[in-house]
């Protein structure tokens, strides 16, 4: 059950990375006109990929926790 809980927590934390490109304060994500740059699009793609992977990992962790509870492990 401990592995399932750990996987579930990692999945939940991983999902928060999706909002990072919009909150970028370095000036690299948007140009002077406010349009998104290549930096923004690449990091948004990475964040969405992380979101998908985080969701899958979270679901696997939840399934692991449920399975452990059913078997009493």
């Amino acid at each position: 059950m401990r592995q399932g809980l750990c996987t579930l927590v990692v999945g939940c934390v991983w999902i928060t990375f999706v909002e990072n490109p919009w909150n970028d304060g370095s000036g690299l994500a948007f140009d002077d006109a406010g349009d998104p740059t290549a930096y923004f699009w690449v990091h948004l793609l990475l964040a969405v990929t992380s979101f998908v992977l985080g969701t899958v990992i979270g679901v696997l962790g939840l399934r692991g926790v449920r399975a452990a509870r059913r078997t009493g492990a």
Side-chain angles (χ1 to χ4, degrees):
M1 183 161 155
R2 189 172 62 195
Q3 292 87 356
L5 283 173
C6 181
T7 305
L8 182 61
V9 169
V10 169
C12 291
V13 170
W14 204 347
I15 290 171
T16 62
F17 293 138
V18 170
E19 59 190 44
N20 289 343
W22 276 280
N23 297 330
D24 178 52
S26 68
L28 296 173
F30 298 96
D31 60 14
D32 293 334
D35 297 324
T37 62
Y39 175 90
F40 173 82
W41 293 115
V42 167
H43 284 82
L44 182 63
L45 178 65
L46 292 171
V48 168
T49 303
S50 291
F51 178 79
V52 170
L53 290 173
T55 301
V56 170
I57 289 171
V59 167
L60 290 174
L62 184 60
R63 289 179 67 188
V65 168
R66 286 182 177 171
R69 285 186 182 168
R70 276 194 302 262
T71 61

